[in-house]
Amino acid sequence: MSDLTASVLETKNGFHVDGYEKISYDFTFLDGVFDTKNRQLAECYHRWGRVLAVTDMNVYNMYGEQMEKYFQHYNLDLKVHKTKIGEKAKTIPTFLSIVDSMTEFGIYRKEPVLVVGGGLVTDVAGFACAAYRRNTNFIRVPTTVIGLIDASVSIKVAVNYGNYKNRLGAYHAPMHTFLDFTFLRSLPVAQIRNGFAELIKISSCSHLATFDLLDKYCEQLIDSAFGRADGASNEVRSAADKINREGIHEMLKLETPNLHEIGLDRVIAYGHTWSPLHELVPETPLRHGHAISIDMAYSATLANSRKLLSDEEHHRLLRLFSRAGLSMDHPQFDEEILDKGTQAILKTRDGKLRAAVPNPLGSCTFLNDVSIEELHVALRRHKEIMREYPRKGEGLEAFVDASDTGYTENNEQEVEALEAAAAKAGNLNGSMNGNGVVHGGHVINGHADGVNGHTNGVAEKLANGSAKGLTNGVNGFTNGAKA
């Protein structure tokens, strides 16, 4: 929620406006947010008597029945927009499908949309809320490690555009975020590992005590879903709770003075200098945690080359990535991608590199005076160092799959069903009937972005008869028009 205080002063040639916006929102740690014994979430909706929830298919398949029973218990009518979403479907058509459901629901301006899911869902749905009537409230219930630790902290919401992450977005704070770590019990190990990277990020640059705990309990934290899995020891559960709470608190302390990113030297941007580009370069995208781990590991090598990070700290950090099964290198992370990523981030960061690097471990500094040649030399050295590590620095389960997206690759039967339904319904914006039954039907590798290659209701002529990898501008298509 926000309030604006403003003043208008008359000047010689016109007027001067000073405006100050107060932004306030809450975080509540609550195990069992959909347990009928916990009325906190329901109380947010008593005024309205109903709830529009946006979630992804994976979450709904696992928790949908519990959500239905919870709101029924509190006499709240629930309508659910179920979306299929991955990095290549984090697009304008998916955004518009959520907007369609908000319109059909008849959402009031101050009525909060309930957003339940990982960081991808909260990003896209949050952006839809930011854009709808320019400011619609929402409440977040993140369900993944990344969603709980990282995406929940920021007020940034966005969609991808072209090959660039989060190119279109806004700053829009939720009313409330409920942090329920029991969701981690149902996460695949690959997703736990994926989120582990965000904790390495914040701790290695800002909170050494948390890094020490990650280093001590690495494998146990991942195997036990941060102490939430059956049989997890009290010691690991206690360490996990401390890590999670201190990690979130540290990120909030760093982010809240700079919610709108007026200051561009951002500690939590460690790992986000080159990853916004190379994450989406592979045909099947890298998981976000693996993409930023490659960036962090390379940045650590760059810092070590400059004697900002000691050899001991450098290898301690790399060993932690390796033990966690996180990527530190990838064949397509090469000089060409490095150069393109550098040029892109210079525009984002107002002409300066502002590359966050640990200096020393637990603290951070920003690099601006790095030449292209120095970047290339550091990359070649980094790849040599990777030869000493398991898998030559490549990660385990590094690429997105159905646990990220809710759909699989080359699922032709699903595509055919989507196409038939779209033809029958006169589909708009990649959604069926606008009611959240199937939304944003993008299938990696191949077959449809939106449905049957339609974007905003306009049929695209698909190159070579396929829609391979098309996502709002990928492969030369931009909003249905060949660029």
Short mmCIF file of all heavy atoms in Angstrom, two decimals, residues 403-444:
data_model
loop_
_atom_site.label_atom_id
_atom_site.label_comp_id
_atom_site.label_asym_id
_atom_site.label_seq_id
_atom_site.Cartn_x
_atom_site.Cartn_y
_atom_site.Cartn_z
N SER A 403 8.71 -29.17 -13.82
CA SER A 403 8.55 -28.68 -12.45
C SER A 403 8.63 -27.15 -12.41
O SER A 403 8.19 -26.53 -11.44
CB SER A 403 9.62 -29.28 -11.54
OG SER A 403 10.91 -28.78 -11.85
N ASP A 404 9.18 -26.53 -13.47
CA ASP A 404 9.18 -25.08 -13.57
C ASP A 404 7.94 -24.58 -14.29
O ASP A 404 7.39 -23.53 -13.96
CB ASP A 404 10.40 -24.59 -14.37
CG ASP A 404 11.72 -25.03 -13.77
OD1 ASP A 404 12.19 -26.13 -14.12
OD2 ASP A 404 12.26 -24.28 -12.96
N THR A 405 7.52 -25.32 -15.30
CA THR A 405 6.57 -24.80 -16.26
C THR A 405 5.19 -25.41 -16.19
O THR A 405 4.23 -24.81 -16.63
CB THR A 405 7.10 -25.02 -17.69
OG1 THR A 405 7.23 -26.44 -17.90
CG2 THR A 405 8.44 -24.35 -17.89
N GLY A 406 5.09 -26.65 -15.70
CA GLY A 406 3.82 -27.33 -15.74
C GLY A 406 3.53 -27.99 -17.05
O GLY A 406 2.49 -28.59 -17.26
N TYR A 407 4.48 -27.88 -18.01
CA TYR A 407 4.31 -28.60 -19.25
C TYR A 407 5.65 -29.16 -19.67
O TYR A 407 6.69 -28.78 -19.17
CB TYR A 407 3.74 -27.72 -20.36
CG TYR A 407 4.45 -26.40 -20.53
CD1 TYR A 407 5.70 -26.31 -21.13
CD2 TYR A 407 3.85 -25.22 -20.07
CE1 TYR A 407 6.33 -25.10 -21.28
CE2 TYR A 407 4.49 -24.01 -20.21
CZ TYR A 407 5.73 -23.95 -20.81
OH TYR A 407 6.37 -22.75 -20.96
N THR A 408 5.65 -30.07 -20.59
CA THR A 408 6.87 -30.71 -21.04
C THR A 408 7.22 -30.27 -22.45
O THR A 408 6.42 -29.66 -23.15
CB THR A 408 6.73 -32.23 -21.01
OG1 THR A 408 5.61 -32.60 -21.83
CG2 THR A 408 6.49 -32.72 -19.60
N GLU A 409 8.40 -30.60 -22.88
CA GLU A 409 8.84 -30.27 -24.23
C GLU A 409 8.19 -31.21 -25.24
O GLU A 409 7.94 -32.38 -24.96
CB GLU A 409 10.36 -30.38 -24.34
CG GLU A 409 11.06 -29.39 -23.41
CD GLU A 409 12.54 -29.36 -23.66
OE1 GLU A 409 12.97 -29.86 -24.71
OE2 GLU A 409 13.27 -28.83 -22.81
N ASN A 410 7.94 -30.69 -26.46
CA ASN A 410 7.44 -31.49 -27.57
C ASN A 410 6.15 -32.21 -27.23
O ASN A 410 5.91 -33.32 -27.67
CB ASN A 410 8.50 -32.53 -28.01
CG ASN A 410 9.73 -31.85 -28.56
OD1 ASN A 410 9.62 -30.85 -29.27
ND2 ASN A 410 10.89 -32.36 -28.23
N ASN A 411 5.31 -31.57 -26.45
CA ASN A 411 4.04 -32.19 -26.07
C ASN A 411 3.00 -31.87 -27.14
O ASN A 411 2.18 -30.98 -27.01
CB ASN A 411 3.59 -31.66 -24.70
CG ASN A 411 2.43 -32.45 -24.15
OD1 ASN A 411 1.72 -33.14 -24.87
ND2 ASN A 411 2.25 -32.36 -22.83
N GLU A 412 3.06 -32.62 -28.24
CA GLU A 412 2.24 -32.29 -29.41
C GLU A 412 0.75 -32.50 -29.13
O GLU A 412 -0.08 -31.76 -29.63
CB GLU A 412 2.69 -33.13 -30.60
CG GLU A 412 4.12 -32.80 -31.03
CD GLU A 412 4.51 -33.50 -32.32
OE1 GLU A 412 3.59 -34.04 -32.98
OE2 GLU A 412 5.69 -33.51 -32.66
N GLN A 413 0.40 -33.50 -28.34
CA GLN A 413 -1.00 -33.72 -28.03
C GLN A 413 -1.60 -32.53 -27.31
O GLN A 413 -2.72 -32.11 -27.59
CB GLN A 413 -1.17 -34.98 -27.18
CG GLN A 413 -0.92 -36.27 -27.96
CD GLN A 413 -1.18 -37.49 -27.10
OE1 GLN A 413 -1.17 -37.41 -25.87
NE2 GLN A 413 -1.42 -38.62 -27.75
N GLU A 414 -0.83 -31.98 -26.36
CA GLU A 414 -1.32 -30.81 -25.64
C GLU A 414 -1.50 -29.64 -26.58
O GLU A 414 -2.48 -28.91 -26.51
CB GLU A 414 -0.37 -30.44 -24.51
CG GLU A 414 -0.83 -29.23 -23.72
CD GLU A 414 0.07 -28.90 -22.56
OE1 GLU A 414 1.09 -29.58 -22.39
OE2 GLU A 414 -0.27 -27.97 -21.82
N VAL A 415 -0.53 -29.45 -27.49
CA VAL A 415 -0.63 -28.34 -28.44
C VAL A 415 -1.86 -28.49 -29.32
O VAL A 415 -2.60 -27.54 -29.56
CB VAL A 415 0.65 -28.27 -29.30
CG1 VAL A 415 0.50 -27.20 -30.36
CG2 VAL A 415 1.84 -27.96 -28.42
N GLU A 416 -2.10 -29.72 -29.83
CA GLU A 416 -3.26 -29.94 -30.69
C GLU A 416 -4.55 -29.64 -29.94
O GLU A 416 -5.49 -29.06 -30.50
CB GLU A 416 -3.25 -31.39 -31.19
CG GLU A 416 -2.12 -31.66 -32.20
CD GLU A 416 -1.98 -33.14 -32.51
OE1 GLU A 416 -2.78 -33.93 -31.97
OE2 GLU A 416 -1.10 -33.48 -33.31
N ALA A 417 -4.60 -30.03 -28.67
CA ALA A 417 -5.78 -29.75 -27.86
C ALA A 417 -5.98 -28.25 -27.68
O ALA A 417 -7.09 -27.74 -27.75
CB ALA A 417 -5.67 -30.45 -26.51
N LEU A 418 -4.86 -27.54 -27.43
CA LEU A 418 -4.93 -26.09 -27.29
C LEU A 418 -5.41 -25.44 -28.57
O LEU A 418 -6.24 -24.53 -28.56
CB LEU A 418 -3.56 -25.54 -26.90
CG LEU A 418 -3.09 -25.76 -25.46
CD1 LEU A 418 -1.61 -25.44 -25.34
CD2 LEU A 418 -3.90 -24.92 -24.51
N GLU A 419 -4.89 -25.90 -29.71
CA GLU A 419 -5.27 -25.32 -30.99
C GLU A 419 -6.76 -25.53 -31.26
O GLU A 419 -7.46 -24.64 -31.72
CB GLU A 419 -4.42 -25.93 -32.10
CG GLU A 419 -2.95 -25.51 -32.03
CD GLU A 419 -2.08 -26.25 -33.04
OE1 GLU A 419 -2.60 -27.18 -33.69
OE2 GLU A 419 -0.91 -25.90 -33.17
N ALA A 420 -7.25 -26.75 -30.98
CA ALA A 420 -8.66 -27.05 -31.21
C ALA A 420 -9.54 -26.19 -30.31
O ALA A 420 -10.56 -25.64 -30.76
CB ALA A 420 -8.92 -28.53 -30.95
N ALA A 421 -9.14 -26.06 -29.05
CA ALA A 421 -9.93 -25.25 -28.12
C ALA A 421 -9.92 -23.79 -28.53
O ALA A 421 -10.94 -23.09 -28.44
CB ALA A 421 -9.39 -25.41 -26.71
N ALA A 422 -8.76 -23.32 -28.99
CA ALA A 422 -8.66 -21.91 -29.40
C ALA A 422 -9.54 -21.63 -30.61
O ALA A 422 -10.22 -20.62 -30.69
CB ALA A 422 -7.21 -21.56 -29.71
N ALA A 423 -9.53 -22.56 -31.58
CA ALA A 423 -10.36 -22.38 -32.77
C ALA A 423 -11.84 -22.35 -32.40
O ALA A 423 -12.63 -21.57 -32.92
CB ALA A 423 -10.08 -23.51 -33.75
N LYS A 424 -12.22 -23.21 -31.46
CA LYS A 424 -13.62 -23.29 -31.03
C LYS A 424 -14.04 -22.04 -30.28
O LYS A 424 -15.16 -21.55 -30.42
CB LYS A 424 -13.82 -24.52 -30.15
CG LYS A 424 -15.26 -24.71 -29.67
CD LYS A 424 -15.35 -25.98 -28.83
CE LYS A 424 -16.78 -26.18 -28.33
NZ LYS A 424 -16.88 -27.41 -27.50
N ALA A 425 -13.12 -21.51 -29.48
CA ALA A 425 -13.50 -20.41 -28.59
C ALA A 425 -13.24 -19.03 -29.19
O ALA A 425 -13.64 -18.03 -28.61
CB ALA A 425 -12.73 -20.53 -27.27
N GLY A 426 -12.56 -18.97 -30.36
CA GLY A 426 -12.18 -17.65 -30.87
C GLY A 426 -11.22 -16.99 -29.93
O GLY A 426 -11.39 -15.86 -29.51
N ASN A 427 -10.16 -17.73 -29.57
CA ASN A 427 -9.27 -17.36 -28.47
C ASN A 427 -8.54 -16.05 -28.70
O ASN A 427 -8.18 -15.70 -29.82
CB ASN A 427 -8.25 -18.49 -28.30
CG ASN A 427 -7.31 -18.20 -27.18
OD1 ASN A 427 -7.74 -17.87 -26.10
ND2 ASN A 427 -6.03 -18.33 -27.45
N LEU A 428 -8.35 -15.32 -27.59
CA LEU A 428 -7.55 -14.09 -27.58
C LEU A 428 -6.39 -14.25 -26.62
O LEU A 428 -6.52 -14.84 -25.56
CB LEU A 428 -8.39 -12.89 -27.12
CG LEU A 428 -9.46 -12.38 -28.08
CD1 LEU A 428 -10.25 -11.28 -27.37
CD2 LEU A 428 -8.85 -11.86 -29.36
N ASN A 429 -5.24 -13.70 -27.01
CA ASN A 429 -4.10 -13.54 -26.10
C ASN A 429 -3.63 -14.83 -25.45
O ASN A 429 -3.19 -14.83 -24.32
CB ASN A 429 -4.43 -12.54 -25.00
CG ASN A 429 -4.72 -11.18 -25.57
OD1 ASN A 429 -4.15 -10.82 -26.59
ND2 ASN A 429 -5.61 -10.44 -24.95
N GLY A 430 -3.71 -15.93 -26.15
CA GLY A 430 -3.18 -17.17 -25.60
C GLY A 430 -3.93 -17.70 -24.42
O GLY A 430 -3.38 -18.41 -23.60
N SER A 431 -5.25 -17.40 -24.29
CA SER A 431 -6.03 -17.94 -23.18
C SER A 431 -7.28 -18.59 -23.73
O SER A 431 -7.80 -18.19 -24.75
CB SER A 431 -6.41 -16.85 -22.18
OG SER A 431 -7.28 -15.94 -22.79
N MET A 432 -7.78 -19.63 -23.06
CA MET A 432 -9.02 -20.26 -23.45
C MET A 432 -10.18 -19.59 -22.75
O MET A 432 -10.27 -19.58 -21.53
CB MET A 432 -9.01 -21.75 -23.07
CG MET A 432 -8.31 -22.63 -24.06
SD MET A 432 -8.32 -24.35 -23.51
CE MET A 432 -10.03 -24.61 -23.16
N ASN A 433 -11.10 -19.02 -23.54
CA ASN A 433 -12.33 -18.47 -23.00
C ASN A 433 -12.12 -17.37 -21.98
O ASN A 433 -13.06 -16.96 -21.34
CB ASN A 433 -13.19 -19.58 -22.35
CG ASN A 433 -13.53 -20.65 -23.36
OD1 ASN A 433 -13.71 -20.36 -24.53
ND2 ASN A 433 -13.62 -21.88 -22.90
N GLY A 434 -10.88 -16.94 -21.77
CA GLY A 434 -10.59 -15.89 -20.81
C GLY A 434 -10.87 -16.27 -19.37
O GLY A 434 -10.93 -15.43 -18.50
N ASN A 435 -11.04 -17.58 -19.11
CA ASN A 435 -11.47 -17.95 -17.76
C ASN A 435 -10.42 -18.66 -16.95
O ASN A 435 -10.70 -19.20 -15.90
CB ASN A 435 -12.73 -18.81 -17.84
CG ASN A 435 -12.46 -20.13 -18.53
OD1 ASN A 435 -11.31 -20.41 -18.88
ND2 ASN A 435 -13.50 -20.92 -18.73
N GLY A 436 -9.19 -18.69 -17.45
CA GLY A 436 -8.12 -19.26 -16.65
C GLY A 436 -8.02 -20.76 -16.73
O GLY A 436 -7.27 -21.36 -16.00
N VAL A 437 -8.78 -21.42 -17.65
CA VAL A 437 -8.65 -22.87 -17.74
C VAL A 437 -7.29 -23.24 -18.31
O VAL A 437 -6.58 -24.06 -17.76
CB VAL A 437 -9.79 -23.45 -18.62
CG1 VAL A 437 -9.60 -24.95 -18.78
CG2 VAL A 437 -11.14 -23.14 -18.00
N VAL A 438 -6.93 -22.62 -19.40
CA VAL A 438 -5.58 -22.80 -19.94
C VAL A 438 -5.11 -21.44 -20.40
O VAL A 438 -5.81 -20.77 -21.14
CB VAL A 438 -5.55 -23.79 -21.13
CG1 VAL A 438 -4.14 -23.91 -21.66
CG2 VAL A 438 -6.05 -25.16 -20.71
N HIS A 439 -3.94 -21.04 -19.97
CA HIS A 439 -3.46 -19.70 -20.32
C HIS A 439 -2.01 -19.77 -20.77
O HIS A 439 -1.22 -20.52 -20.24
CB HIS A 439 -3.54 -18.76 -19.11
CG HIS A 439 -4.94 -18.42 -18.75
ND1 HIS A 439 -5.62 -17.38 -19.31
CD2 HIS A 439 -5.80 -19.02 -17.89
CE1 HIS A 439 -6.83 -17.32 -18.78
NE2 HIS A 439 -6.96 -18.31 -17.93
N GLY A 440 -1.69 -18.90 -21.73
CA GLY A 440 -0.30 -18.76 -22.14
C GLY A 440 0.27 -20.08 -22.56
O GLY A 440 1.30 -20.50 -22.07
N GLY A 441 -0.34 -20.78 -23.54
CA GLY A 441 0.03 -22.16 -23.82
C GLY A 441 1.31 -22.32 -24.57
O GLY A 441 1.32 -22.93 -25.64
N HIS A 442 2.38 -21.80 -24.10
CA HIS A 442 3.67 -21.92 -24.76
C HIS A 442 4.30 -23.28 -24.47
O HIS A 442 4.29 -23.73 -23.36
CB HIS A 442 4.61 -20.82 -24.25
CG HIS A 442 5.98 -20.93 -24.84
ND1 HIS A 442 6.29 -20.36 -26.04
CD2 HIS A 442 7.08 -21.56 -24.40
CE1 HIS A 442 7.57 -20.63 -26.29
NE2 HIS A 442 8.05 -21.36 -25.31
N VAL A 443 4.80 -23.91 -25.50
CA VAL A 443 5.50 -25.17 -25.32
C VAL A 443 6.93 -25.01 -25.81
O VAL A 443 7.16 -24.61 -26.95
CB VAL A 443 4.80 -26.30 -26.12
CG1 VAL A 443 5.59 -27.58 -26.00
CG2 VAL A 443 3.40 -26.51 -25.58
N ILE A 444 7.88 -25.28 -24.90
CA ILE A 444 9.30 -25.15 -25.26
C ILE A 444 9.60 -26.08 -26.41
O ILE A 444 9.12 -27.19 -26.48
CB ILE A 444 10.18 -25.49 -24.06
CG1 ILE A 444 9.89 -24.53 -22.91
CG2 ILE A 444 11.64 -25.42 -24.41
CD1 ILE A 444 10.62 -24.86 -21.65
#
